[in-house]
Amino acid sequence: MVLSSAAVRNVLLLGALVRIPFFAGAVLLALHVVQTLHGSYLQAGVLSTVATVCIALSGPWRGRLLDRFGLRRTIMPSILVGAVCWSIAPFVDYVPLLILAAVAGLFDVPIFTVVRQAVIAATTEENRQPALALEAVSVEMAFMVGPILGVAAASLWSTTIVLLCVQWTLVLAGILMWIRNPPLRSAQAAGRPAAPAVPRRAWFGIEFVALCVGASAAISLLAASELTFVSAMREFGAQQWLGVVLAVWGFGSVVGGLVYGALHRSISTYVLLAALGAVTIPMAFAVGPISLAITGLLAGIFCAPTITASIDQMSRIVPEGGRGEAIGWHSAALTLGNGIGSSMAGIAIDAGGFAAGFTAAAALGLTLGLGLALLVGIRERRRLAVEKPAAVSQVGA
């Protein structure tokens, strides 16, 4: 049982706790602009986009620093910059808030990279899949709980105070990470000196890029579906049930993640992406909240497994000394996919309603899933064709 390991338990618990304020902070920024600063939704969207882009840009270079200098030396500047920025940002006008959020984003504590790298370090290839599945489930739970808590708190107290408290919770989470200093490499976990950082050219190739594209497509599909749920429920005249339908969708993802973690074999990320696209199609034919919830439950089952498989597959492609940067690129791809999916869904919904939104999301998953599987398969066959004659000639010699 993967939870029998104290190291895995501690990392998963830490990851679950720090991600709740992370997701709460995203929605609080928008609420603060609209409610407290009396800005427009456009301004709120620009702020969210700038903060998201800066966090995405920080992923690869912060991950590279983790590989070269370790956790404590990497996140100490993040803690200091975050403490200064978020002590000031809730009390200033829009433009200074935008600048401070951008700076804080560039020095963001790499929560997702640290947690995933620590989980990989604390596991073997045999129990890594269930551990990563639990990690993906914890992300789903935090994504469901964080925004709800943020909105509830903002309805009771000033967004200034709530934003300050939530962002300082993330600063304190960074301090806790610094104190705990979980091993990021299996050698450190075993008490041995860690190997030096691995050059990027050793792993940054077609297979890794294809994996990042697949992960980005999966998040694009999910972001597009999330926005399309809103459109569908408005079209049904049942906006009051939106939270319930989204919760059913999220529950499907939790179930799928747990089931995938219990499997004794991995499944290709690209196969799961194509399957996620296929099971998204029935949502386009929903005729009311109940049918949308049922089809959403089915579609949700493939959400967490697709992301889990991409991280597991990445850990097999990238040597241990390069995984910090690799996970940073992977996280940046996920962030980019989130923005692409929302924009794609908006265009599709304006053109053909919620059915077009779900259809566009499904087509993206199916097309890229099958296309990437074909591309990687052809490359693997060519590699084997080259290696086989070489192996035969060595035997003959």
Side-chain angles (χ1 to χ4, degrees):
M1 181 64 176
V2 68
L3 291 178
S4 61
S5 168
V8 176
R9 283 201 311 272
N10 292 338
V11 171
L12 289 175
L13 179 61
L14 179 63
L17 291 177
V18 300
R19 281 161 172 160
I20 291 175
F22 176 84
F23 287 117
V27 70
L28 278 171
L29 275 175
L31 288 174
H32 182 68
V33 170
V34 174
Q35 292 184 14
T36 303
L37 300 183
H38 305 292
S40 65
Y41 282 100
L42 175 61
Q43 288 177 309
V46 169
L47 175 59
S48 296
T49 300
V50 168
T52 299
V53 168
C54 288
I55 291 172
L57 291 174
S58 74
W61 77 275
R62 305 294 289 170
R64 186 169 180 80
L65 292 177
L66 284 172
D67 290 331
R68 294 183 63 187
F69 302 116
L71 187 144
R72 284 183 167 172
R73 292 174 63 185
T74 298
I75 70 171
M76 180 53 72
S78 298
I79 294 171
L80 296 176
V81 171
V84 171
C85 289
W86 292 116
S87 294
I88 301 170
F91 303 97
V92 298
D93 290 332
Y94 178 77
V95 173
L97 172 62
L98 184 69
I99 296 171
L100 288 167
V103 173
L106 289 172
F107 285 86
D108 188 59
V109 176
I111 294 171
F112 287 81
T113 302
V114 169
V115 172
R116 285 167 180 164
Q117 198 172 355
V119 168
I120 292 170
T123 55
T124 63
E125 288 197 7
E126 287 72 27
N127 64 355
R128 185 169 297 155
Q129 181 172 303
L132 289 174
L134 287 175
E135 191 270 341
V137 168
S138 73
V139 173
E140 289 286 343
M141 298 299 291
F143 178 75
M144 293 165 64
V145 173
I148 293 174
L149 292 179
V151 172
S155 66
L156 297 174
W157 301 289
S158 165
T159 59
T160 300
I161 301 303
V162 177
L163 183 61
L164 176 68
C165 292
V166 166
Q167 296 297 346
W168 255 94
T169 300
L170 285 173
V171 173
L172 294 175
I175 295 174
L176 179 60
M177 280 187 175
W178 189 90
I179 294 172
R180 297 287 302 179
N181 193 25
L184 301 183
R185 301 194 192 179
S186 58
Q188 293 173 326
R192 303 190 306 271
V198 176
R200 187 185 298 119
R201 63 179 178 274
W203 50 266
F204 200 104
I206 294 176
E207 191 174 2
F208 178 76
V209 172
L211 187 60
C212 286
V213 171
S216 182
I219 290 296
S220 294
L221 190 159
L222 299 181
S225 296
E226 184 179 12
L227 182 61
T228 309
F229 271 110
V230 178
S231 173
M233 295 302 285
R234 289 189 63 185
E235 196 166 320
F236 296 148
Q239 296 95 316
Q240 69 273 21
W241 295 105
L242 174 62
V244 175
V245 173
L246 287 174
V248 171
W249 185 47
F251 178 73
S253 181
V254 170
V255 172
L258 294 175
V259 171
Y260 183 73
L263 297 178
H264 296 293
R265 59 182 295 272
S266 60
I267 302 174
S268 166
T269 302
Y270 314 121
V271 172
L272 288 170
L273 174 60
L276 179 60
V279 296
T280 299
I281 295 174
M283 291 196 290
F285 299 96
V287 294
I290 295 177
S291 58
L292 184 60
I294 293 171
T295 52
L297 177 66
L298 175 63
I301 290 174
F302 287 89
C303 296
T306 306
I307 304 302
T308 299
S310 71
I311 301 169
D312 186 26
Q313 191 172 336
M314 182 273 301
S315 73
R316 302 172 195 274
I317 295 173
V318 182
E320 193 166 54
R323 284 178 187 159
E325 183 180 359
I327 296 175
W329 281 107
H330 184 274
S331 298
L334 297 181
T335 303
L336 178 63
N338 190 65
I340 293 173
S342 298
S343 300
M344 179 188 70
I347 295 172
I349 292 168
D350 286 342
F354 80 88
F358 284 129
T359 301
L364 177 69
L366 273 169
T367 302
L368 281 179
L370 295 175
L372 289 169
L374 182 62
L375 172 66
V376 173
I378 291 173
R379 185 176 182 276
E380 182 66 15
R381 284 194 293 273
R382 286 179 177 175
R383 183 183 66 83
L384 292 174
V386 171
E387 291 179 354
K388 188 174 180 180
V392 171
S393 62
Q394 288 178 358
V395 171

